[in-house]
Amino acid sequence: MRLELGYVFIKDVQFGSESKVENGTLYVNKEELINLIKEDEHFESVDIELARPGESVRITPVKDVIEPRVKVEGPGGIFPGMISKVDIVGSGKTNVLKGCAVVTTGRIVGFQEGIIDMTGPGAEYTPFSKLNNVVLVCEPKEGLKQHEHEKALRMAGFKVAAHLGKLAKEIKPDEVDTFETLPILEGVNKYSDLPKVAYVQMLQSQGLLHDTYVYGVDAKQIVPTILYPTEIMDGAIVSGNCVSACDKNTTYHHLNNPVVQDLYKKHGKELNFVGVIITNENVYLADKERSSNWTAKLAEFLGLDGVVVSQEGFGNPDTDLIMNCKKIEQKGIKTVIITDEYAGRDGASQSLADADKLANAVVTGGNANEVITLPPMDKIIGHIKYVDTIAGGFDGSLKEDGSIVVELQAITGATNELGFNKLTARGF
């Protein structure tokens, strides 16, 4: 499967009378977007704010971050099963508004939404401080249940991202990247002298408000399966979860999965990137055994020499991670795992809730319990009062001067960004 990603670089975002892209600036018609979101009657009020890199702005609580994209050529559309009809995506041409994102916020959904600071020390820990953000402030109607609120907010983000993405459909990209994965036998024959490597992507699926969707299906309902890596780039996998902000894979992370991108950089040169095995994270032991058994079976079936495994969440999913690693290693396949750590504020506690001697190649995203002080910002988008109760916050996190003392887990994308940027090969 072959996909061309055409990047239309966005250097600024402004409100305007017409939504368009012109000379590197994304112009947004505010009322147009508000009316689009208000098609969903679950919201009491809707507003649109803008946040640019370097501005003294804090966005919290953050639900999701989404990059606008549009199919230009080829089957299907962006976010299949959510916005577009269910069709296999990942081939043809897709244009990307690179350098901007849609961020969703409003009164809290769960208790693990996070913080994005556009400047200061907190900005160094999140990739989203570097983007021109269109922020949707969506307030639910009184009495709306949490899962209904989450769905309404999730869909609002997808609708706006798809709407803005369409602005790039007729624009000639500033830059084009091409990604291609051949069918298994064809790829093995073409790269017969290279090790066969796959990416095992663990998806958060551990209960209500801990959801990830694959072609519109809740990942709790799937057994491990195989995807072309390019399918992910067209929105085949999207976020619907409210786990700790630092290790939640937002939809932006899925669209721009750096493990996929790093493996593609080595594809055909140092390794044969065979594809992606997606697997869910489970609550019950029997389900953990089933999914890890299937994951190891698929890795063996593909004749792999090595895999990279990434985890979403922490604590309970550590067992899924170690099961996947151990069972794949027992098949004679070399395994590298990517995870963050929860080692206590002093770093002296056990980093993972599970361990095994076969997990001997680990890429760490750092200690999510590390404490950071975020200085006051001139502007708050969303609601600041929740920082004491989100994961990583505590009673007294919010100071009188507007500064915040929190653990890194409260910063959206913090340890994901650190860990993905450290990915190295093990010598597959």
Side-chain angles (χ1 to χ4, degrees):
M1 190 172 285
R2 185 176 188 272
L3 177 67
E4 291 184 10
L5 287 185
Y7 304 126
V8 178
F9 293 118
I10 302 300
K11 301 175 183 177
D12 190 16
V13 60
Q14 301 280 348
F15 287 123
S17 59
E18 177 187 1
S19 292
K20 61 180 180 179
V21 175
E22 189 173 86
N23 298 323
T25 297
L26 171 62
Y27 292 94
V28 174
N29 182 309
K30 184 173 183 177
E31 292 304 315
E32 179 181 86
L33 296 190
I34 290 174
N35 290 336
L36 180 65
I37 297 168
K38 280 189 171 181
E39 291 176 356
D40 189 324
E41 297 179 353
H42 288 102
F43 295 119
E44 184 68 39
S45 66
V46 175
D47 197 10
I48 308 293
E49 298 270 12
L50 305 178
R52 307 170 186 84
E55 293 183 335
S56 183
V57 173
R58 173 166 294 144
I59 311 168
T60 187
V62 174
K63 172 63 172 63
D64 198 10
V65 184
I66 310 144
E67 184 174 61
R69 297 190 174 198
V70 62
K71 288 299 298 181
V72 175
E73 183 180 297
I78 298 297
F79 310 130
M82 288 288 180
I83 297 297
S84 305
K85 70 176 184 178
V86 179
D87 198 353
I88 299 299
V89 295
S91 63
K93 297 180 180 180
T94 295
N95 279 357
V96 182
L97 292 184
K98 182 61 66 177
C100 74
V102 173
V103 179
T104 51
T105 186
R107 289 203 300 274
I108 202 163
V109 175
F111 294 96
Q112 302 193 61
E113 284 74 24
I115 300 168
I116 297 174
D117 278 1
M118 299 303 294
T119 191
E124 299 301 316
Y125 287 92
T126 173
F128 308 125
S129 64
K130 305 170 185 66
L131 303 178
N132 294 284
N133 294 308
V134 178
V135 187
L136 317 184
V137 185
C138 304
E139 305 297 359
K141 287 186 175 179
E142 197 67 33
L144 190 65
K145 294 180 179 179
Q146 282 181 299
H147 70 278
E148 295 172 329
H149 183 190
E150 186 281 321
K151 181 179 179 180
L153 199 52
R154 168 168 32 102
M155 295 306 297
F158 296 155
K159 286 170 68 175
V160 170
H163 182 78
L164 295 178
K166 290 177 182 177
L167 302 177
K169 188 165 186 177
E170 304 299 329
I171 297 177
K172 182 179 178 181
D174 299 302
E175 185 178 304
V176 176
D177 269 348
T178 301
F179 304 88
E180 184 173 22
T181 296
L182 298 172
I184 297 294
L185 291 179
E186 189 176 342
V188 169
N189 289 330
K190 182 173 182 178
Y191 305 113
S192 58
D193 58 336
L194 297 178
K196 299 178 291 297
V197 177
Y199 170 37
V200 173
Q201 184 175 6
M202 294 171 52
L203 306 176
Q204 178 56 246
S205 56
Q206 289 193 302
L208 194 61
L209 301 181
H210 288 62
D211 308 314
T212 305
Y213 295 89
V214 182
Y215 282 97
V217 175
D218 192 327
K220 287 190 288 294
Q221 301 176 33
I222 72 169
V223 292
T225 190
I226 301 168
L227 295 182
Y228 281 100
T230 53
E231 292 179 73
I232 301 172
M233 297 174 177
D234 271 349
I237 301 176
V238 297
S239 174
N241 72 65
C242 303
V243 298
S244 288
C246 71
D247 51 11
K248 171 170 70 176
N249 288 331
T250 66
T251 300
Y252 186 97
H253 282 99
H254 290 300
L255 291 168
N256 294 278
N257 191 309
V259 180
V260 170
Q261 293 179 351
D262 282 356
L263 288 173
Y264 263 128
K265 289 176 183 176
K266 299 178 181 293
H267 180 55
K269 303 170 186 175
E270 299 176 35
L271 53 84
N272 175 13
F273 184 19
V274 172
V276 178
I277 301 172
I278 58 170
T279 183
N280 48 18
E281 299 172 358
N282 298 283
V283 176
Y284 295 108
L285 181 58
D287 294 327
K288 293 177 184 292
E289 294 284 9
R290 181 184 299 108
S291 287
S292 56
N293 285 343
W294 275 63
T295 301
K297 178 185 69 174
L298 289 174
E300 180 184 44
F301 179 74
L302 293 173
L304 300 177
D305 299 298
V307 301
V308 177
V309 187
S310 69
Q311 174 189 11
E312 183 173 14
F314 68 97
N316 189 295
D318 293 351
T319 297
D320 301 78
L321 175 69
I322 296 302
M323 280 186 173
N324 284 322
C325 174
K326 180 174 67 175
K327 293 177 182 181
I328 294 170
E329 284 274 353
Q330 288 171 342
K331 298 288 187 182
I333 302 168
K334 295 180 179 180
T335 305
V336 176
I337 63 176
I338 303 174
T339 179
D340 57 3
E341 305 175 50
Y342 282 78
R345 293 183 181 180
D346 60 359
S349 300
Q350 181 174 324
S351 297
L352 299 176
D354 202 352
D356 191 273
K357 63 182 180 181
L358 291 176
N360 57 10
V362 182
V363 177
T364 177
N367 180 18
N369 292 133
E370 182 180 334
V371 176
I372 184 173
T373 298
L374 306 176
M377 294 286 148
D378 293 339
K379 181 178 181 179
I380 304 296
I381 300 178
H383 297 275
I384 194 66
K385 65 180 180 180
Y386 295 114
V387 298
D388 281 2
T389 55
I390 60 176
F394 50 88
D395 188 22
S397 281
L398 179 60
K399 305 303 180 183
E400 290 186 4
D401 65 352
S403 62
I404 304 172
V405 179
V406 289
E407 295 182 357
L408 282 181
Q409 62 176 303
I411 299 177
T412 302
T415 54
N416 267 338
E417 176 75 354
L418 292 171
F420 288 159
N421 284 344
K422 292 180 181 177
L423 177 61
T424 56
R426 184 188 173 191
F428 295 137

